[in-house]
Amino acid sequence: MNFGMTEEQVMIVETTRAFVENELYPHEAEIERTGVLDMDVVRDIQKKAMEAGLYAANMPEEVGGAGLDTLTWLMYEKELGRANYALHWTAVARPSNILLAGTQDQKEQYLYPCMKGEKWDCLAMTEPDAGSDLRGMKATARKDGDDWILNGTKHFISHADIADFAICFMATGVEDTPRGPKKKITAFFVDKDTPGFAVRDGYGNVSHRGYTNAVLEFDDCRLPASAVLGDVDKGFDVANTWLGATRLQVAATCLGRAERALDHAVAYAAERKQFGQQIGKFQGVSFKLADMALELKAANLLTWDAGWKFDQGTVTESDMSMAKLKATEMLAFVADEAIQIHGGMGLMDELPLERIWRDARVERIWEGTSEIQRHIISREMLRALGG
Ligand SMILES: Cc1cc2nc3c(=O)[nH]c(=O)nc-3n(C[C@H](O)[C@H](O)[C@H](O)COP(=O)(O)OP(=O)(O)OC[C@H]3O[C@@H](n4cnc5c(N)ncnc54)[C@H](O)[C@@H]3O)c2cc1C
């Protein structure tokens, strides 16, 4: 792996950083204060992001994206991650890569409008009784002639309130596995106005203000056969093929937020004086800075390593889980220590630190909890020994 950045990567990082600082930071305080994402602001930023070539940069050039390789995309995500998540996700980041798995008709109906900022997607897997254990899901889709009838409930579904359609993963059967019976899963496109499909307000959430979650209800919701994404009973194959790098995306955004927190902590340690000297001269503070920098660098290296291997086709599940686990746990540590270095001021909303600290909490839960990441890492080690 070449640890140096190419000229193109430097340019992308600098352009994205400038965009984030100039276009996103000014709106953060309002969203944090109100918890509401103003869609006029989003439209305005989205337009500027498109002009700057930053909107949906994860997508290939042939569908209008920037065609970045995974490593460069993660560098871009790291910069976006510095800002309020609702803002960066909605106004700049992307539609989901899973839309690339669609047929040409599905691309016309869903992917291309998303690329133009005319539509938003959301992804629905989790249910009240099925979180980590997705193959235990209860929401079903059953065949009725050529149609499908969907029933059940999904919850925690991010930004479903503004989404024009949902990609919903439903149980379409059961199969015996060495670990007992497991659901077969199929993915469906469900348009918001489909009869029998309702989006209800979700829960208030301590992390990522403005980034809402919703409950999706399916009550004999009838869909045509053309609504299936990928193959019937192969929903997880579609997800694994096209959502492979989302754990790395979470890791990368955590790196950006941690770097922002560390920058604040270093500046404050140099500027704040107590007992007649800079607090950074006290070992109790300076050692914190060293440990924060160390953890950040370790998480950065694990993330870049996994991203680079992703592009080589050599990445393992364990590589991606290690990056996600380290970066999310590092962010919790760095955000907490940055607040400690600021004393009481760290908790005040004058600074982005209390926000980064709150936002850090969800990162160890979504896209697979820390326990599930540890399970994936240890499983790969034990499998080699027949475990
Ligand atoms: C803000 C937010 C937004 C979200 N957005 C979406 C979305 O857009 N779409 C979507 O589908 N989902 C979404 N999720 C769901 C998210 O992916 C789940 O919360 C996550 O997978 C964990 O599931 P759970 O919350 O049901 O916890 P559970 O699976 O019930 O876990 C509870 C605890 O048990 C532990 N545990 C469970 N199984 C094991 C095991 N085998 N070994 C060790 N420990 C275990 C977990 O680590 C955790 O500590 C979102 C969640 C949040 C909080």
Side-chain angles (χ1 to χ4, degrees), residues 123-126 131-132 156-158 205 362 365-369 371-372:
L123 206 73
M125 296 187 180
T126 306
S132 304
F156 291 161
I157 308 309
S158 296
N205 174 10
V362 74
I365 292 176
W366 63 11
E367 287 301 331
T369 64
E371 291 75 22
I372 294 297

Side-chain angles (χ1 to χ4, degrees), residues 50-297:
M50 281 179 185
E51 283 160 9
L54 294 175
Y55 190 73
N58 59 317
M59 285 288 180
E61 280 173 292
E62 54 272 24
V63 299
L68 303 182
D69 56 62
T70 308
L71 182 57
T72 314
W73 167 61
L74 292 173
M75 292 175 179
Y76 152 92
E77 288 282 351
K78 176 181 174 185
E79 296 309 316
L80 291 182
R82 293 170 167 275
N84 169 284
Y85 195 85
L87 201 55
H88 99 234
W89 186 90
T90 317
V92 195
R94 68 195 162 272
S96 170
N97 284 44
I98 202 170
L99 295 177
L100 294 165
T103 61
Q104 191 52 36
D105 282 351
Q106 289 171 337
K107 285 181 183 161
E108 303 280 351
Q109 195 175 344
Y110 299 108
L111 171 63
Y112 301 137
C114 284
M115 293 301 299
K116 288 188 225 145
E118 292 164 2
K119 281 188 179 178
W120 277 283
D121 59 304
C122 69
L123 206 73
M125 296 187 180
T126 306
E127 299 179 4
D129 291 329
S132 304
D133 181 18
L134 282 171
R135 292 195 72 189
M137 69 170 59
K138 291 184 177 153
T140 56
R142 72 177 160 77
K143 259 299 204 166
D144 183 39
D146 284 344
D147 292 348
W148 290 90
I149 310 288
L150 275 54
N151 279 291
T153 303
K154 301 281 174 188
H155 80 159
F156 291 161
I157 308 309
S158 296
H159 51 79
D161 55 339
I162 61 162
D164 298 274
F165 64 93
I167 299 167
C168 300
F169 290 76
M170 310 297 278
T172 40
V174 181
E175 66 185 341
D176 286 325
T177 76
R179 283 167 291 123
K182 299 273 177 198
K183 299 287 168 52
K184 294 193 227 173
I185 311 289
T186 304
F188 295 87
F189 284 104
V190 186
D191 291 317
K192 197 163 211 169
D193 53 5
T194 309
F197 175 48
V199 178
R200 285 200 287 111
D201 285 348
Y203 318 92
N205 174 10
V206 69
S207 299
H208 298 315
R209 283 194 186 145
Y211 194 70
T212 53
N213 65 85
V215 177
L216 310 189
E217 307 272 17
F218 302 86
D219 182 10
D220 284 338
C221 171
R222 181 177 290 272
L223 297 177
S226 60
V228 173
L229 173 62
D231 293 325
V232 172
D233 296 338
K234 301 288 179 205
F236 275 154
D237 293 355
V238 181
N240 290 337
T241 307
W242 296 98
L243 297 178
T246 48
R247 261 174 290 169
L248 298 182
Q249 185 262 342
V250 171
T253 55
C254 288
L255 297 175
R257 238 169 293 143
E259 201 169 86
R260 189 171 173 193
L262 180 58
D263 288 348
H264 276 280
V266 173
Y268 197 73
E271 165 207 317
R272 174 76 171 167
K273 290 201 173 80
Q274 288 292 282
F275 300 98
Q277 67 176 54
Q278 291 169 319
I279 59 168
K281 291 232 161 76
F282 297 117
Q283 199 180 72
V285 173
S286 65
F287 276 21
K288 284 192 199 306
L289 293 176
D291 288 343
M292 290 156 82
L294 182 70
E295 290 299 304
L296 174 57
K297 186 164 185 175

